[in-house]
Amino acid sequence: MNALAATNRNFRHAARILGLDSKLEKSLLIPFREIKVECTIPKDDGSLVSYIGFRVQHDNARGPMKGGIRYHPEVDPDEVNALAQLMTWKSAVVDIPYGGAKGGIGCSPRDLSTSELERLTRVFTQKIHDLIGIHTDVPAPDMGTNAQTMAWILDEYSKFHGHSPAIVTGKPIDLGGSLGRDAATGRGVVFATEALLAEHGKSIPEMRFVIQGFGNVGSWAAKLIHEKGGKITAVSDMTGAVQNPNGLDIPALLKHKENNGALKDFDGGDAIDPNELLVQDCDVLIPCALGGVLNKDNAADVKAKYIIEAANHPTDPEADEILLKRGVTILPDIYANAGGVTVSYFEWVQNIQGFMWEEDKVNNELQKYMRRAFGNIKAMCQSQDCSLRMGAFTLGVSRVARATLLRGWEA
């Protein structure tokens, strides 16, 4: 099942639990606006090339729309729609005043020079500058984009609207980026894990962890879990997987990754088939990479007792049902990986106030938001007698539905 079908299914289930009016349900599902633009740029050799840029703005009932911009050759409109919708529910779950958006350009960033990427980003910004805004839609980095991409968007947007640091988040620190933003999603995953384990009378030091994906989120989660005394027995990235039943030396692994750009050939553990990683013996499994990695084919073999969804949509609905029947506790993506958008919100607040926070304040506020959201999800699970995923979805959808009704959606 693709990401859009799975997200719609979860939304409809939540709408049924909440007893939403069918017209309101339909209204919440349809995106507020879908933008598609042509971006033509001169390449370094003088030839012209065109790319398709787009932005899906899902919902603005609770505040400006918020979501990443990705540069990827296979940008799937359905997936972007699903991710924009997920951002709406995710922002509502952690109770930050945003709706959801997502967008990007269908290109392969590795095949473009830095100057070509800059020209492409600036043309894209010129095409959408009057449809985004500090109080309208605030982009952020995503797959294939980074702080430098945000710097170009900020500069180009500011040419039309005056200096506007709050137009994007995930910017370089020197341009108004927030301290702690780089680690935010991984740190949020760890705070979410702590909240879940505490609920079951457990803590990080007594658990064995397996982490799939060792990019920004996976590497930060590994570093922080290791610092808190957790034992990480296996990790993987695109190049391979490594395991050590006695616990991997995470600082050495991070250094190896920094020096070699990959986990491959790390001598502090044994190489294993990356496909076997998800079914390794462990207490906590943290998928931090692609969607749909847990499916009906491997769900029965998963040995973890807890799954923390650091990636977007890593568990197919079929796998969800199998794992729930087996008593595996799944902490859903719309809560578990919300640390990134939460600290993006803190960055936006700092930019609007023109007053920057210390890193400790950023991290303490993030912990407060993640803990409070977990308590709210648990309360929803108890009142509706549902799983954590449905608890999170019903919490998010109910908040957006309430805001929509209060604003007078039929007016």
Side-chain angles (χ1 to χ4, degrees), residues 75-223:
V75 169
D76 172 41
D78 271 3
E79 187 184 24
V80 172
N81 232 308
L83 293 172
Q85 191 194 135
L86 271 178
M87 285 300 294
T88 298
W89 316 134
K90 188 183 293 185
S91 301
V93 166
V94 285
D95 206 13
I96 55 176
Y98 284 145
K102 207 76 173 184
I105 299 174
C107 69
S108 182
R110 284 182 183 167
D111 299 339
L112 297 170
S113 69
T114 303
S115 58
E116 286 167 344
L117 280 170
E118 178 175 354
R119 286 197 289 276
L120 181 56
T121 303
R122 289 182 182 279
V123 168
F124 182 50
T125 308
Q126 288 164 17
K127 294 289 179 89
I128 66 166
H129 76 89
D130 53 349
L131 296 168
I132 60 172
I134 293 164
H135 300 292
T136 310
D137 177 4
V138 181
D142 200 302
M143 199 188 295
T145 57
N146 54 26
Q148 179 59 70
T149 320
M150 297 305 107
W152 292 327
I153 293 173
L154 159 59
D155 182 68
E156 198 62 31
Y157 181 87
S158 296
K159 289 176 184 175
F160 295 95
H161 302 275
H163 184 56
S164 311
I167 184 55
V168 286
T169 59
K171 304 178 287 296
I173 301 291
D174 292 333
L175 291 176
S178 177
L179 295 170
R181 176 66 188 87
D182 188 47
T185 309
R187 194 178 296 276
V189 165
V190 176
F191 289 150
T193 305
E194 284 180 321
L196 177 68
L197 292 176
E199 179 76 19
H200 290 85
K202 294 183 166 52
S203 63
I204 283 177
E206 55 195 283
M207 293 281 141
R208 294 166 306 138
F209 294 81
V210 165
I211 298 176
Q212 186 205 32
F214 210 64
N216 173 277
V217 181
S219 57
W220 272 108
K223 181 180 190 295

Side-chain angles (χ1 to χ4, degrees), residues 42-54:
K43 294 199 75 175
D44 292 344
D45 63 8
S47 63
L48 286 179
V49 62
S50 291
Y51 300 95
I52 301 293
F54 54 88

Side-chain angles (χ1 to χ4, degrees), residues 263-342:
L263 296 183
K264 217 170 108 187
D265 303 327
F266 177 65
D267 56 12
D270 303 318
I272 56 169
D273 180 350
N275 296 321
E276 295 296 308
L277 185 96
L278 297 166
V279 297
Q280 289 292 308
D281 185 30
C282 66
D283 301 306
V284 183
L285 173 63
I286 310 182
C288 301
L290 300 167
V293 292
L294 291 166
N295 49 51
K296 63 180 189 296
D297 300 327
N298 60 11
D301 301 321
V302 170
K303 296 176 184 69
K305 301 171 194 71
Y306 305 96
I307 294 172
I308 315 293
E309 293 189 335
N312 281 318
H313 180 61
T315 315
D316 273 355
E318 295 94 330
D320 220 8
E321 284 171 23
I322 295 166
L323 291 162
L324 280 175
K325 279 182 189 145
R326 293 182 54 222
V328 178
T329 303
I330 302 173
L331 202 57
D333 51 1
I334 63 166
Y335 164 65
N337 67 25
V341 71
T342 305

Side-chain angles (χ1 to χ4, degrees), residues 17-18 376-386 391 394:
I17 291 171
L18 293 164
N376 291 335
I377 291 167
K378 283 303 294 183
M380 191 60 97
C381 290
Q382 280 152 5
S383 71
Q384 304 293 350
D385 188 28
C386 61
T394 48

